[in-house]
Structures are given as structure tokens and as C-alpha cells.
């Protein structure tokens, strides 16, 4: 058996034992908020403060998001959430669902009413086993006796890692302070479990890999779609793409897998994706999906057009989005290496790759032109294009849900060495600040940029800036830049209403208060920048990325800036026009920014070098 990370004292409690046992699995950082339902656990962390760290956020939802992001940014193999009973447990759910839907291993430790009071209608008493039944469906248990610590912690951690999901332990208050039982008796009804992680990467059978190679080798127009499951297989993805002469599109969670400066990388796929990614899928005759479960079926090739192969470590995720011909259950890197052995030499330069490169270059030029266009007062795309030119090689990016996602996907060329993530499947607003905090705690010596809309900033960003103010002096690199796109509008939803419902923007629902976010930063002892003119954009980024403390850039941007989908349908155009005719309050802005966007995005362009 492996040695314990530190010896338990003779008077150790159940909580002490939980903290020690979790450390065996690599858990050394907990995100949470204190409360009397977890007093035993916070006391244990206080006693082991040199071995384990408690990060106090402003809200338990942040703790859930941050635990998910802790794994995404490489902070450790497991994320950990520690929250109190009742309201604390309820608050944490949204962030925990982010981890579940994005397949991140997280263990939730949830305080509960004392055993002696359960069932009596005690303060904050909630049926936590029922409440957490879905989010922690893979493993959920209540710890009622000291002898259970070993096997419940081991099973929670092993399950979270093996299934890449959320597990949860409910901890009654009085049990946390009972005397620890690190070595249960060798007797009936007790368990002696292992804290050794399970075996490593898996590879599909050789015959299946050979069949996949035969399917892919016959293609003249090969497309690849990579997602977060391909993270760690960057070299293999690049080599397979070269062997097949393929173009590569990326799901947002897989952005860091490829170098977005390459001519064969078409960028993001889906509603916020690029036109060359849409063209790649629309014209391909072979498709290789690696570690992605992107759900927009209309952005895959038409059924029957392309023969397809999919690779995923979870066999239940295979063949869900496209009628694949060969499904390979295995980890991306070793499976792709096995595939390379079967593929043989590549085709060399092909007309298909020239077409991809031409379409990608034309799209990038169009985006550059869009970002340079004037708006009132500032074009939000200009901020992202300007940032892209200044990104440090080791930057970490945290992106929120909304129009920021669109501009990030189209203007930021993530390259090797960078880290970037977002709430990819839950698509929850308010994820970027928790992600940014987790990334910074994982790598305090690296610069960070958080890209946030004003809606998300008002949800939890303004509060979590207090967390930044609390901790930033302990970071080796103090650069923590928060860009707030302040357009006083929940712009993404406003555009959805126009293009899918044909209804005007509803001011009562969509308009937001105009907040001086840069002044709030000043109040907290951070730096604030106001950008209300396009000439200020470049200098604001330069100052923020060289500052000696965290900086908030309050950018007043045009709410009418149009997010053109890669394939704008006649129905979407008709409904947007209907919204204007029905008296949209920003009709003038839509016309002002819509016409240049359409002309720039869709005008005929040369697509071959």
C-alpha cells in the first residue's frame, strides 16, 4: 500500500481522516465557503494548512465552477468543493453541473444536519441525497460512521476519475468530529480499500484501428473535428492531420489542441464557429472525430456524405452525433499513435488542403476587416483582435458565455503553450471569473485574461473581484486582466430573439444597468481602465498586460454589433428583418452594423492560394 501523505495524530477526527485520504488522491486545494455544517472539515483544514489549501470564494456556485476549472487548467487530477448544508449545497449545484456536463472529475463534500437531528425539520435540513442524485449520479453516499472514510473517499475519487464526472459525499456535522478510524477492523461488514489510481491510457483492438485506417485512407477530402478529449494529444492530432491531408475544426473546449495560426486549422465549429469550418464539413468525404461530442447536428456533414470514424475514451459517447462507421474506444494520444502506424505515408500536398487554406485565409481577412470597422462607441471585435496581437505565449484565457464567446472564437488564435477554457456544455453565464480564479491558483506564475460580458459580470463577476483582491498579492505574476464588454444589453439573447423568434429586443428583459466596473476595481485596490473610444484599445491592453496588479477594462461597446453565423439562412434573415419591422429599439444600429457585416462576411472571395 502507498504511504499516507502525512501521519494522522492520535486524536485525529473523521474530518482529519477525510482530508488526509483525499490527499492520497491528489486533492490539496478546496474551493468553498464556510458554514456551521462543515465546521469539522474547515477545522481539519486549519490543522493541515501546510498540506491543503482552502480557497474562500464569495459564493458556492463559484466553488463548483472553480473545481471544474481546477482540473481543466491542470491544477490537479481532481477538483474539490467544500460547502455547508442546505443553502450552501443548493448554491453549489450550477457549478457542479458544469463539471458533470464537461466531464471533469470533481468530488463535492457537502455538510449536513447532525445525525441526531435528521428527520426533525432542523434548520437548513434538506434531503441532500435526493438533491444530489442527478449531478452525482455516478457515486453519492452519506458518511455515517468513522469506519466508512476510507472506502467512501476511495470510491468517490476513483469513480470521479474513471468516469470523469462529479461524485459527492454528504457529511453530517456530528460525524465530522468523531474519532477517526484509519484502520477498520478485519471483520465482517468493514472494507479495506486502495487509494492507488486505476490503470492508465487505453487503446482499441488492433483490428478496429486497422479498419478505421482503411476508411480514412480512401478519402480525398478529409475533415477532422477535435474536442477536449484530444487535449494531451496535440502532436498526434497534427501528425494524423498531415498524413490524411485533412483540415481540422475545433470544438470550443478543444481550442488548445491545435495551433490556430496554421492554414489547415479552420477554427471553431457550430453557431459561433467559422465559415471555413462549416465549408470543411459541408464538402468532406471522410470525417475523423477525436474527443468531441459537439451537439449541433446541422454543422456535421449531411448524413451519408462522409464515411466517419470516432475516437473517445467513453464508449457510450460514440456514434451519437453522426452515423460513424468505425468507433474506437480509447484515449486520444495512444489511439492516434496506433492509427498512425496503420495509415502509412501521407498524400503530400493536395488540392483539398489548398482549398482549406484559401477559405481559411479569406475568413481571417474578413474578420480582420470587421474588427477594424467603426462602431458606436467601440467595436467589440476590435478589442479581441487587438488582444490577439498581444497575447503572451504562456497566457491563460477564461471565457464567459455570450457574445464574448463569439468574438473569442473568431479572433483569438490560441497557440501551443496557452491554456484556455469555458463552460462548454452547460453554457452557463458567470463561469469566466471562477475559471480565472482556478487557473490563477493552479499557475500563479502565469498571466491570465478573463473575457466577460456585462451580464455575467453583474451575475458574479463584481463579487468575485473581491476574491481577486483578497488573494492577488500571493501570486508570483500579478497580471489578472478582466475585460468587460459593457453594452448595457444581454446581447446574445437579444440576437437570438431576433433571428429565431422574429421578435424585437425586449428592453425590460434585456437591458442592463450601466456600471462603472473600472471604478469598482479602483475601490478594491486593483487597476481600472475605461475604454470608450477605439483609439484607446491598444494602449489599454498594453497597460493591463504589463501592470503590477489585476486590471479591469470597462469597454463601452456597440450592442448592435452583429454576430453573423457561418451559414446565415434565409429564415434567420427573414426573422431578423421582421424584428426590425416590428419596432426593435435598436433598429438603426442593426442596419448600421448589419449591412457591413453581411457584405464583409459573405462577399465572394478567392478560396485557393
Amino acid at each position: 500500500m502507498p504511504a499516507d501523505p502525512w501521519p494522522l495524530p492520535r486524536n485525529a477526527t473523521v474530518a482529519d481522516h477525510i482530508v488526509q485520504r483525499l490527499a492520497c488522491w491528489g486533492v490539496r486545494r478546496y474551493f468553498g465557503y464556510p458554514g456551521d455544517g462543515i465546521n469539522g472539515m474547515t477545522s481539519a483544514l486549519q490543522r493541515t494548512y501546510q498540506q491543503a489549501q482552502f480557497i474562500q470564494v464569495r459564493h458556492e456556485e463559484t466553488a463548483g465552477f472553480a473545481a471544474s476549472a481546477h482540473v481543466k487548467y491542470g491544477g490537479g487530477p481532481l477538483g474539490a468543493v467544500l460547502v455547508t448544508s442546505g443553502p450552501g449545497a443548493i448554491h453549489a449545484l450550477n457549478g457542479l453541473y458544469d463539471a458533470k456536463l464537461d466531464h471533469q472529475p470533481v468530488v463535492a463534500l457537502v455538510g449536513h444536519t447532525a445525525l441526531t437531528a435528521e428527520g426533525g425539520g432542523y434548520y437548513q435540513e434538506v434531503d441532500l441525497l435526493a438533491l444530489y442524485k442527478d449531478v452525482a449520479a455516478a457515486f453519492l453516499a452519506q458518511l455515517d460512521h468513522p469506519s466508512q472514510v476510507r472506502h467512501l473517499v476511495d470510491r468517490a475519487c476513483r469513480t470521479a476519475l474513471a468516469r470523469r464526472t462529479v461524485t459527492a459525499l454528504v457529511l453530517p456535522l456530528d460525524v465530522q468530529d468523531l474519532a477517526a478510524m484509519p484502520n477498520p477492523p478485519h471483520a465482517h461488514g468493514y472494507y479495506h480499500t486502495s487509494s492507488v489510481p486505476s490503470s492508465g491510457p487505453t487503446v482499441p483492438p488492433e483490428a478496429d484501428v486497422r479498419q478505421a485506417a482503411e476508411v480514412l485512407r480512401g478519402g480525398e477530402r478529409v475533415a477532422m473535428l477535435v474536442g477536449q478529449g484530444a487535449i494531451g494529444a496535440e502532436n498526434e492530432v497534427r501528425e494524423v492531420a498531415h498524413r490524411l491531408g485533412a483540415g481540422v475544426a475545433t470544438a470550443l473546449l478543444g481550442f488548445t489542441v491545435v495551433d490556430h495560426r496554421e492554414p489547415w486549422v479552420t477554427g471553431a465549429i457550430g453557431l459561433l464557429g467559422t465559415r471555413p469550418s462549416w465549408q470543411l464539413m459541408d464538402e468532406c468525404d471522410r470525417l475523423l472525430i477525436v474527443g468531441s461530442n459537439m451537439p449541433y447536428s446541422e454543422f456535421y456533414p449531411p448524413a451519408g456524405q462522409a464515411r466517419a470514424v470516432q475516437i473517445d475514451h467513453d464508449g457510450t459517447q460514440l456514434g451519437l452525433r453522426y452515423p460513424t462507421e468505425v468507433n474506437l474506444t480509447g484515449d486520444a494520444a495512444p489511439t492516434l499513435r496506433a492509427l498512425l502506424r496503420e495509415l502509412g505515408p501521407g498524400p503530400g500536398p493536395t488540392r483539398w488542403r489548398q482549398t482549406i487554406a484559401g477559405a481559411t485565409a479569406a475568413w481571417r481577412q474578413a474578420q480582420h476587416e470587421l474588427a477594424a470597422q467603426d462602431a458606436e462607441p467601440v467595436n467589440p471585435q476590435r478589442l479581441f483582435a487587438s488582444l490577439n496581437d498581444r497575447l503572451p505565449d504562456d497566457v491563460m484565457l477564461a471565457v464567459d458565455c455570450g457574445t464574448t464567446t463569439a468574438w473569442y472564437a473568431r479572433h483569438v488564435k490560441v497557440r501551443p503553450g496557452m491554456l484556455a477554457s469555458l463552460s462548454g456544455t452547460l453554457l452557463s453565464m458567470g463561469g469566466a471569473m471562477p475559471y480565472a480564479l482556478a487557473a490563477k491558483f493552479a499557475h500563479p506564475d502565469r498571466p491570465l485574461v478573463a473575457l466577460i460580458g456585462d451580464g455575467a459580470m453583474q451575475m458574479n463577476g463584481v463579487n468575485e473581484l473581491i476574491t481577486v483582491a483578497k488573494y492577488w498579492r500571493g501570486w508570483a505574476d500579478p497580471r489578472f486582466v478582466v475585460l468587460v464588454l459593457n453594452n448595457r444589453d444581454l446581447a446574445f439573447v437579444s440576437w437570438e430573439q431576433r433571428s429565431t423568434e422574429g421578435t424585437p429586443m425586449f428592453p425590460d428583459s434585456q437591458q442592463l444597468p450601466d456600471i462603472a466596473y473600472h471604478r469598482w476595481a479602483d475601490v478594491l485596490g486593483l487597476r481600472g481602465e475605461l475604454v470608450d473610444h477605439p483609439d484607446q484599445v491598444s494602449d489599454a491592453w498594453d497597460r493591463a498586460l504589463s501592470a503590477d496588479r489585476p486590471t479591469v477594462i470597462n469597454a463601452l461597446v456597440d450592442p448592435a454589433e452583429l454576430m453573423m453565423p457561418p451559414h446565415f439562412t434565409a429564415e434567420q434573415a427573414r426573422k431578423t428583418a421582421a424584428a426590425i419591422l416590428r419596432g426593435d429599439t435598436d433598429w438603426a444600429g442593426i442596419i448600421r452594423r448589419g449591412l457591413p457585416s453581411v457584405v464583409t462576411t459573405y462577399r465572394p472571395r478567392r478560396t485557393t492560394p
Side-chain angles (χ1 to χ4, degrees), residues 72-73 102 225-229 231 249-258 260 267-274 291-296 397 399-412 414 419-425 427 435 492:
K72 288 184 175 184
Y73 288 94
D102 276 357
L225 169 59
V226 298
Q228 68 168 339
I231 292 174
T250 60
L252 287 174
L253 286 173
F255 245 42
T256 58
V257 174
V258 291
H260 287 255
I269 192 171
L271 187 63
L272 304 183
T274 70
S292 175
N293 196 26
M294 194 277 296
Y296 290 137
L397 297 163
V399 187
D400 222 295
C401 181
T403 56
T404 52
T405 320
W407 311 140
Y408 159 74
R410 297 182 179 191
H411 291 286
V412 177
V414 175
L419 295 174
S421 198
L422 69 162
S423 177
T425 310
L427 298 175
Y435 271 47
F492 194 97

Side-chain angles (χ1 to χ4, degrees), residues 213-283:
E214 291 172 357
V215 169
L216 296 169
R217 239 190 336 251
E220 296 181 354
R221 302 182 305 279
V222 183
M224 292 177 64
L225 169 59
V226 298
Q228 68 168 339
I231 292 174
E234 293 81 2
N235 292 335
E236 291 81 0
V237 166
R238 182 177 62 252
E239 183 59 28
V240 168
H242 289 328
R243 293 277 187 97
L244 294 172
V248 179
T250 60
L252 287 174
L253 286 173
F255 245 42
T256 58
V257 174
V258 291
D259 186 340
H260 287 255
R261 299 170 298 182
E262 294 282 4
W264 45 271
V265 175
T266 60
I269 192 171
L271 187 63
L272 304 183
T274 70
R275 188 167 177 80
S277 287
W278 176 81
Q279 181 180 340
L280 180 75
M281 295 295 161
D282 191 56
E283 299 178 6

Side-chain angles (χ1 to χ4, degrees), residues 14 37 112-118 171-179:
V14 164
H112 194 31
T113 305
L115 281 178
T116 54
E118 280 186 27
L171 309 175
L173 175 60
D174 49 354
V175 176
Q176 296 172 39
D177 288 323
L178 295 177

